[in-house]
Amino acid sequence: MDTTAQASPETLRARMVDRILATQRLTPAVEDALRRVERHCYVPDAPLVDAYAEKAVITHTFHDGTHLSCASGPTIVAAMLDALDVRPGQRILEIGAGTGYNAAILATLVGVDGQVTTVDINSDVTAAARRNLTATGFPQVRVLTGDGAADAADHAPYDRIIITVGAWDIPYAWWEQFVPDGRLVLPLRWRGTTRAVALTRNGDHWKSDWVFLCGFVPMLGQPGEQKTILDPDGLVALHHDMDQPIDVDTLHGVLEREKSLLWSDVTVHGEEPFDRIWLRLSAVDDGTVRIEADQRAVASGLCTPAIASRSPALVKGDSLAYFTIRRTATPGRWQLGAIGHGPDGHQLAARIIGQINVWDRNRTADPELLVFPTGVPLPDSTGGKMILKSGNRLILRY
């Protein structure tokens, strides 16, 4: 008999932490903080079971229905906090106040000698976070309303900065607010995919030592990604970065052009992640983008990406190829492939197959990321794929 609905908050919280520990290691300090801070008190309008389930709880939305703020799923919260490596007595800046839950855990980690400042651009979000933090015994957390890239500078320098909204770039203001050995954890977006990344200062640049799949509400005021509709009915779109030389006019109607279908010899079982294929593509091919297909496009066969809402694709001129999958004769297993359209569609699909094969040789490898501010010279020995941001150059290398 399922007793989840009747379980106490303490029982549900213990189950939540045990579930997280089944998939990843946590430091004793982070585990203890997760067991102590009452997550349900930060999402009072959500059912108790939802507060501790492995799901994001939406707390604020725009008038058009898009999400403004939410309580992120417990696993990504725990993973990012663990990667942040918070120590007692440190000064912490959080950008993206959310419900206040993350700030409460940070305050628990830094202890009475530390300081936590959380900033959000929306006053409704910060007002709710302030209420929640005060009600749960964390009045010492500083809650500010403003632009997280600049409005917390008066309380710098910080030992750690954590970003809990999706960032397309890293404002230089964050660099200036750090101690020399500071550590930054954020959801960073490039080539249509988002990864939580832990970065440390390494002289005049940032260097990663941790990469984790995630999804976050995007940060306001960072326009870096563009959207192009491919078909007359608006059912299929590409999401691409502003530094990519994509001729959007030549891509209209591309799905009606000659089609190539290629299959690799690589298969996965139904629960096995294959998101690192996207990372591989972004680290070698400047044409890497995200394709998004409405279910009506999938049902009609117009466009059938592996995951309809978000799959990697490659673009070159008037041609396109995207990642796809199909069931195999073996129950529970799927074959990985690519579909191309246009005169270069077959070549682009073959490139995707090539990176599927590279991924297959080491399915858990993540790239190292280097972030150099614009104007900082790159060492001659710097290798890897460069991606241009507004104020930085992102280098990916394996």
Side-chain angles (χ1 to χ4, degrees), residues 18 55 132-133 157 185 282:
D18 291 343
K55 61 190 297 185
N132 293 338
L133 286 162
V185 173
S282 72

Side-chain angles (χ1 to χ4, degrees), residues 261-275:
L261 178 59
L262 281 68
W263 294 103
S264 71
D265 294 326
V266 179
T267 65
V268 296
H269 62 72
E271 300 301 320
E272 185 176 5
F274 43 69
D275 57 278

Side-chain angles (χ1 to χ4, degrees), residues 185-244:
V185 173
L186 79 164
L188 187 60
R189 191 167 187 83
W190 70 89
R191 300 304 187 243
T193 187
T194 303
R195 291 296 189 277
V197 180
L199 300 164
T200 55
R201 289 185 64 164
N202 189 10
D204 57 2
H205 65 279
W206 301 96
K207 184 177 181 180
S208 74
D209 58 24
W210 177 82
V211 178
F212 194 89
L213 177 65
C214 68
F216 275 81
V217 174
M219 180 181 293
L220 297 179
Q222 276 200 334
E225 193 175 70
Q226 301 172 350
K227 181 178 180 179
T228 296
I229 301 299
L230 298 182
D231 65 301
D233 296 322
L235 300 180
V236 184
L238 290 184
H239 299 262
H240 48 94
D241 292 335
M242 64 182 188
D243 70 299
Q244 294 177 287

Side-chain angles (χ1 to χ4, degrees), residues 95-172:
I95 297 175
T99 64
Y101 173 67
N102 214 54
I105 298 176
L106 289 167
T108 302
L109 291 170
V110 299
V112 295
D113 295 325
Q115 296 182 29
V116 175
T117 300
T118 184
V119 184
D120 202 283
I121 200 167
N122 186 277
S123 59
D124 291 337
V125 172
T126 53
R130 176 73 279 164
R131 288 195 303 270
N132 293 338
L133 286 162
T134 300
T136 52
F138 295 96
Q140 76 276 22
V141 173
R142 185 184 293 114
V143 182
L144 304 178
T145 302
D147 182 356
D151 287 348
D154 290 346
H155 307 288
Y158 298 101
D159 300 284
R160 302 286 188 268
I161 297 180
I162 183 168
I163 316 301
T164 59
V165 288
W168 188 81
D169 198 6
I170 302 175
Y172 192 74

Side-chain angles (χ1 to χ4, degrees), residues 317-369:
D318 59 355
S319 301
L320 162 75
Y322 60 85
F323 176 60
T324 191
I325 59 175
R326 68 179 177 185
R327 294 181 185 273
T328 69
T330 303
R333 295 204 69 84
W334 297 75
Q335 186 177 12
L336 311 185
I339 294 175
H341 290 274
D344 291 315
H346 186 279
Q347 178 192 54
L348 294 175
R351 290 188 196 173
I352 294 176
I353 297 297
Q355 291 308 308
I356 290 173
N357 292 332
V358 172
W359 167 79
D360 186 45
R361 293 195 287 270
N362 188 350
R363 297 190 177 193
T364 61
D366 285 316
E368 179 182 65
L369 280 73

